[in-house]
Short mmCIF file of all heavy atoms in Angstrom, two decimals:
data_model
loop_
_atom_site.label_atom_id
_atom_site.label_comp_id
_atom_site.label_asym_id
_atom_site.label_seq_id
_atom_site.Cartn_x
_atom_site.Cartn_y
_atom_site.Cartn_z
N GLY A 61 230.56 141.71 101.52
CA GLY A 61 230.06 140.42 101.07
C GLY A 61 229.67 140.50 99.61
O GLY A 61 229.98 141.46 98.91
N CYS A 62 228.97 139.47 99.14
CA CYS A 62 228.61 139.41 97.72
C CYS A 62 227.11 139.56 97.54
O CYS A 62 226.34 139.53 98.50
CB CYS A 62 229.10 138.11 97.10
SG CYS A 62 228.26 136.65 97.74
N ALA A 63 226.68 139.68 96.30
CA ALA A 63 225.26 139.88 96.01
C ALA A 63 224.42 138.71 96.52
O ALA A 63 223.29 138.90 96.97
CB ALA A 63 225.05 140.07 94.51
N TYR A 64 224.98 137.51 96.45
CA TYR A 64 224.25 136.34 96.97
C TYR A 64 224.00 136.52 98.47
O TYR A 64 222.90 136.23 98.96
CB TYR A 64 225.06 135.08 96.67
CG TYR A 64 224.70 133.90 97.53
CD1 TYR A 64 223.63 133.08 97.23
CD2 TYR A 64 225.43 133.62 98.69
CE1 TYR A 64 223.29 132.00 98.04
CE2 TYR A 64 225.11 132.55 99.49
CZ TYR A 64 224.03 131.76 99.18
OH TYR A 64 223.71 130.71 99.99
N ALA A 65 225.00 137.01 99.18
CA ALA A 65 224.83 137.25 100.61
C ALA A 65 223.72 138.26 100.85
O ALA A 65 222.94 138.14 101.80
CB ALA A 65 226.14 137.75 101.22
N PRO A 85 227.53 125.51 94.15
CA PRO A 85 228.34 124.71 95.07
C PRO A 85 227.91 124.87 96.52
O PRO A 85 227.26 125.85 96.89
CB PRO A 85 229.75 125.26 94.85
CG PRO A 85 229.73 125.88 93.51
CD PRO A 85 228.35 126.41 93.32
N GLY A 87 229.42 125.46 99.38
CA GLY A 87 230.07 126.33 100.37
C GLY A 87 229.33 127.61 100.71
O GLY A 87 229.17 127.95 101.87
N CYS A 88 228.87 128.32 99.68
CA CYS A 88 228.27 129.64 99.91
C CYS A 88 227.17 129.55 100.96
O CYS A 88 227.05 130.41 101.83
CB CYS A 88 227.69 130.21 98.63
SG CYS A 88 228.73 130.09 97.20
N GLY A 89 226.33 128.53 100.85
CA GLY A 89 225.22 128.41 101.79
C GLY A 89 225.67 127.82 103.11
O GLY A 89 225.25 128.26 104.18
N SER A 152 220.81 132.14 93.16
CA SER A 152 221.95 131.74 92.33
C SER A 152 223.26 132.10 92.98
O SER A 152 223.44 133.21 93.45
CB SER A 152 221.89 132.45 90.99
OG SER A 152 220.60 132.48 90.50
N GLU A 153 224.19 131.16 92.94
CA GLU A 153 225.57 131.47 93.30
C GLU A 153 226.35 131.71 92.01
O GLU A 153 225.85 131.45 90.92
CB GLU A 153 226.15 130.30 94.10
CG GLU A 153 225.46 130.13 95.44
CD GLU A 153 225.73 128.76 96.08
OE1 GLU A 153 226.52 127.99 95.53
OE2 GLU A 153 225.12 128.48 97.12
N CYS A 154 227.58 132.14 92.17
CA CYS A 154 228.38 132.56 91.00
C CYS A 154 228.27 131.65 89.77
O CYS A 154 228.02 132.14 88.67
CB CYS A 154 229.84 132.71 91.40
SG CYS A 154 230.10 134.23 92.32
N PRO A 155 228.49 130.34 89.89
CA PRO A 155 228.57 129.53 88.67
C PRO A 155 227.32 129.57 87.81
O PRO A 155 227.41 129.43 86.59
CB PRO A 155 228.80 128.11 89.20
CG PRO A 155 229.28 128.28 90.57
CD PRO A 155 228.69 129.53 91.09
N CYS A 183 221.06 136.42 91.75
CA CYS A 183 221.89 137.19 92.66
C CYS A 183 223.31 136.63 92.70
O CYS A 183 223.91 136.55 93.76
CB CYS A 183 221.27 137.18 94.04
SG CYS A 183 221.01 135.53 94.66
N GLU A 184 223.84 136.23 91.56
CA GLU A 184 225.19 135.69 91.53
C GLU A 184 226.17 136.63 92.22
O GLU A 184 226.11 137.84 92.04
CB GLU A 184 225.66 135.46 90.09
CG GLU A 184 224.99 134.30 89.39
CD GLU A 184 223.69 134.70 88.70
OE1 GLU A 184 223.25 135.84 88.90
OE2 GLU A 184 223.14 133.85 87.97
N GLY A 185 227.07 136.05 92.96
CA GLY A 185 227.96 136.84 93.80
C GLY A 185 228.80 137.87 93.07
O GLY A 185 229.18 138.89 93.65
N PHE A 186 229.08 137.63 91.82
CA PHE A 186 229.97 138.57 91.12
C PHE A 186 229.26 139.84 90.68
O PHE A 186 229.88 140.77 90.20
CB PHE A 186 230.62 137.89 89.90
CG PHE A 186 229.63 137.29 88.93
CD1 PHE A 186 228.90 138.10 88.07
CD2 PHE A 186 229.44 135.93 88.89
CE1 PHE A 186 227.98 137.55 87.19
CE2 PHE A 186 228.52 135.37 88.01
CZ PHE A 186 227.79 136.19 87.16
S1 SF4 C 1 230.93 135.41 95.63
FE1 SF4 C 1 229.97 133.69 94.54
S2 SF4 C 1 231.07 131.88 95.23
FE2 SF4 C 1 231.49 133.53 96.72
S3 SF4 C 1 229.93 133.29 98.34
FE3 SF4 C 1 229.14 134.76 96.83
S4 SF4 C 1 227.92 133.50 95.43
FE4 SF4 C 1 229.26 132.11 96.56
#
Side-chain angles (χ1 to χ4, degrees):
Chain A
C62 67
Y64 160 83
C88 314
S152 319
E153 294 164 5
C154 284
C183 56
E184 288 88 352
F186 55 75

